[in-house]
Each structure stands twice: as C-alpha cells, then as structure tokens.
Amino acid sequence: MRIRASVAVVTGALALSAFAVPAAQADDSNSVSAFAQSVEPKAAAGPADIIEGDTTISNVVVNGGKSLVLGATTKKTFTVSFTAKDDSGIDWGTAILWHGSTFASSDGGVVPNEEEAVCTTVNATTSTCKHTFTVDARYDLLNKFAGGWKVWALAQGNDADYVQTDNVKGFSIQRASQLTVNATPEPVTKGKTITVAGKLTRADWETNKYAGLSGQSVVLQFRKASSSTYSNVKTIKSTSGGALKTTVKASVDGYYRYTYAGVSTVGASTATGDYVDVK
C-alpha cells in the first residue's frame, strides 16, 4: 500500500509551516509529530528508524549546507534535498524539520511547502528529492529555537518498501548578529590615541528587533589604506547593551572594523570598516 500523507492534515493545523506556535496554540506545538503520524507507518514514540525492505536515504543537505541565519524580520525560502534509493526505484519522499530532544516530544518544527518532495530520477534505483521550506521571523520564530535542529525524512520505493528516520541530519538555525564601528578622532595626529567604539546586537525573533549582546568576544581589525587585507589587532568583550570600546595608537591611514565569529545560536557578522586619516 502506498504511504501518503492526508491532504486534510497537511492543509489543516500543519499548513502553518511554522517553527513556533503562539502561546495561545500551545496544545498544537507538537503538530509536526501529528503530520508524521498521519502517514503509514505510524511515527515511532521516540527517536527511531523504521525500515521495511532496502530503501535508503542519504546525502541530506539543508540550505546548501550552510547554517540558516535569520534576522529580526527575515523571511526566507530554502531547500532541503536528499538521495533516496530502492532496487525498484523511488515512488515518493518527504521531510520535516524539527527541534527538541526527541521527535515525539519536539517543541517546534516546520513542514514543507509541498505535500511531497519533487523526486528526480537519477537512474533505475536512485532519485534526488527536494523540498522547499519557508519561514518568516516576524511571525514564526521563538528565540529558544536558535541552535541545533534535525531532519525527519521518509522515502518509499515503487515496490512499497520504505524507510522512515527521525534524525537523518542535523543542522543549525541561528539568530543574525550585527556590528557597528566608529573610530575617533578623525583626522588624528600620528602617535595619538584612537578610540574605537561600536555595538554588537542580535536578532530578537519575539520582538522583531535587534538587541544588545553582551559578554561576547569580538576582534578589532585594521587594514592599511594601501592594503586589501585586514589584520587582527586585539580581542575585547562586549559589555552591557553590547557596547564595544577600546583604544589604539594612530600609525598610518586605514580602516578599523569589528568582527564577530558567532556561537551555536548566533550567526557571525563583520562591521563595515571606518576610515581614519592619520596626519
């Protein structure tokens, strides 16, 4: 029997395609599991693979292999692809993205834009399947969902063999960060002190604004006006409200900037260089 999701379910609660469910809809926060359980075979109660026959899923790629970094008001459509293989060829496949310790108890997720993945035949046994997903930070995200996510996937062969796996791939969704920089005074006499100030902020998906990020290591870099390459000068930490401030001695004309490597929940960022004329 062909495994297929119920259209009624897909167009109902799961059509939200959202990472988060508003507090008023908390009872639906596990709707991703409901989607999985609407297909046959039923989803397992915990992290598990269900394999019937020789069908396999491999080479899962989310967002081109890059972390998904979303700003305070970002709306983004991205692709999830995987290779499905069965000795009879591939009939269909699908995938879901989820967050939590186990799939059955996931606290957030997103279902694809299509009911089924678009599976393109590679050869008699193998297909490449692709889904698109869309998320809008203005409506769909909670800050607690920043960090590690997982891919649930299912594929079925033409002979009705199938594989279902709760965690076939891990990936990251991060809150975007921003940096500013201001080097003063301008111009400055050679040998005098330059103060380099700035601010580190990150996206708040719940207020849809950027807020200061303190206690983070940020690197001050300098590029001579005659060069195209920045070099590290020193590392400092952001303070209250994400404030950045340090001093250096003026030597030659050039550009100062701050750069932040990011962490598991926050994406990297680099400020636009601020030019200082040294007399």
Side-chain angles (χ1 to χ4, degrees):
M1 179 173 64
R2 192 167 193 262
I3 303 166
R4 183 184 291 275
S6 166
V7 174
V9 173
V10 172
T11 58
L14 296 174
L16 293 171
S17 297
F19 287 101
V21 176
Q25 300 176 18
D27 290 344
D28 294 329
S29 63
N30 207 21
S31 60
V32 172
S33 289
F35 172 75
Q37 291 166 2
S38 72
V39 302
E40 295 183 18
K42 299 297 184 180
D49 291 346
I50 300 175
I51 302 172
E52 181 68 34
D54 65 340
T55 314
T56 61
I57 294 172
S58 61
N59 302 323
V60 181
V61 179
V62 180
N63 192 40
K66 300 178 181 179
S67 295
L68 189 66
V69 183
L70 299 172
T73 59
T74 302
K75 181 178 181 179
K76 185 170 184 177
T77 297
F78 55 98
T79 301
V80 175
S81 64
F82 57 90
T83 299
K85 187 173 182 179
D86 186 274
D87 63 0
S88 67
I90 294 300
D91 182 14
W92 78 295
T94 192
I96 302 168
L97 311 180
W98 62 279
H99 177 272
S101 57
T102 68
F103 182 76
S105 62
S106 59
D107 58 3
V110 59
V111 296
N113 295 335
E114 310 85 9
E115 182 180 352
E116 295 182 7
V118 177
C119 292
T120 303
T121 300
V122 176
N123 55 46
T125 64
T126 307
S127 292
T128 299
C129 299
K130 292 184 179 181
H131 262 313
T132 61
F133 295 79
T134 300
V135 60
D136 190 334
R138 292 171 296 176
Y139 309 110
D140 299 335
L141 297 176
L142 295 178
N143 293 331
K144 70 176 183 178
F145 293 150
W149 280 69
K150 305 173 185 71
V151 179
W152 177 100
L154 184 151
Q156 180 171 300
N158 290 316
D159 58 1
D161 287 352
Y162 62 84
V163 60
Q164 173 188 310
T165 179
D166 288 356
N167 183 10
V168 70
K169 180 72 174 182
F171 68 101
S172 294
I173 299 177
Q174 297 175 314
R175 297 161 68 178
S177 67
Q178 294 182 343
L179 275 169
T180 61
V181 64
N182 183 30
T184 57
E186 305 172 54
V188 63
T189 302
K190 184 175 182 179
K192 294 296 185 179
T193 297
I194 297 172
T195 299
V196 186
K199 188 174 183 179
L200 173 65
T201 60
R202 67 176 169 183
D204 187 320
W205 293 334
E206 296 169 19
T207 65
N208 302 131
K209 298 178 181 179
Y210 279 80
L213 180 57
S214 62
Q216 300 295 300
S217 294
V218 176
V219 179
L220 175 66
Q221 297 182 323
F222 177 72
R223 173 172 71 85
K224 294 180 181 179
S226 59
S227 172
S228 60
T229 303
Y230 278 91
S231 298
N232 293 347
V233 177
K234 64 173 71 174
T235 299
I236 65 172
K237 284 198 172 184
S238 58
T239 58
S240 178
L244 300 165
K245 188 174 183 180
T246 189
T247 59
V248 294
K249 293 295 183 181
S251 57
V252 297
D253 296 350
Y255 299 83
Y256 290 92
R257 72 180 186 184
Y258 284 115
T259 185
Y260 173 57
V263 292
S264 62
T265 58
V266 183
S269 60
T270 299
T272 301
D274 187 26
Y275 179 75
V276 175
D277 180 17
V278 179
K279 299 297 187 179

